[in-house]
Amino acid sequence: MKRLSIFVSGNGTNLQRIAEYFKDNHDVEIVNVVCNNPKAYAIERAKKLGIPVRMVTKAEFSSADFIEEMAGLKLDLIVLAGFLWKIPAGLIEAYPRHIVNIHPALLPKYGGKGFYGEHVHEAVVAAKEAFSGITIHYVNEIYDSGEIILQAYTTLDQKETPDSLAAKIHQLEQAYFPVTIQQLLFWS
Ligand code: GAR
């Protein structure tokens, strides 16, 4: 049995898709959802999906107790699915090369602090980029700079808006994130 924890801060569409993808796979269990934002719609999604939610405060998140709690879950992978806090070094040390993030741009461009969600798409459209995409990468101590596992591309149209680009990126995320997680769990 492979054990997953999914960290979220917002809407939770990636959480939903991952949970649905593994629903009938009895070799994968989403042990919990860790959430830092009491207003996140992802909490409702997790409840409907029957996955326990562990809310965390900022102080708790970097505490030794939380890191120990997570280490005790014996996870095979921690998945950051729209999670917006930096991961404490202690957790990265507890799960080396076992924490992955999805970023809604082609890193190393449009990464780092402040580049998340729609802010990324606004910057990409403003710069009139020809391409954008998604990056799935391992997490290290520096925002959006861990080793890249997969990138997928889409093109921007002349009339592209941040919203229309977000929809394209969303499709790429839905298509590639669960299957990449599966590959990491079983074939890496
Ligand atoms: C996703 O587009 C994800 O790539 C992005 O937040 C969104 C979360 O959506 N992550 C980042 O920007 C991380 N820097 P969701 O809550 O609906 O899954």
Side-chain angles (χ1 to χ4, degrees), residues 11 111 117 147 178:
N11 189 341
E147 183 187 339

Side-chain angles (χ1 to χ4, degrees), residues 106-141:
L106 296 172
L107 292 174
K109 284 184 124 180
Y110 304 103
K113 199 167 165 56
F115 276 124
Y116 61 89
E118 73 267 21
H119 302 295
V120 175
H121 309 312
E122 283 160 7
V124 170
V125 170
K128 300 194 188 307
E129 294 281 0
F131 299 96
S132 192
I134 59 166
T135 304
I136 298 170
H137 64 95
Y138 290 112
V139 172
N140 63 13
E141 283 88 350

Side-chain angles (χ1 to χ4, degrees), residues 157-172:
D157 299 329
Q158 299 255 311
K159 291 184 180 161
E160 203 74 61
T161 65
D163 280 351
S164 64
L165 178 58
K168 288 178 178 176
I169 297 295
H170 183 70
Q171 280 191 343
L172 290 178

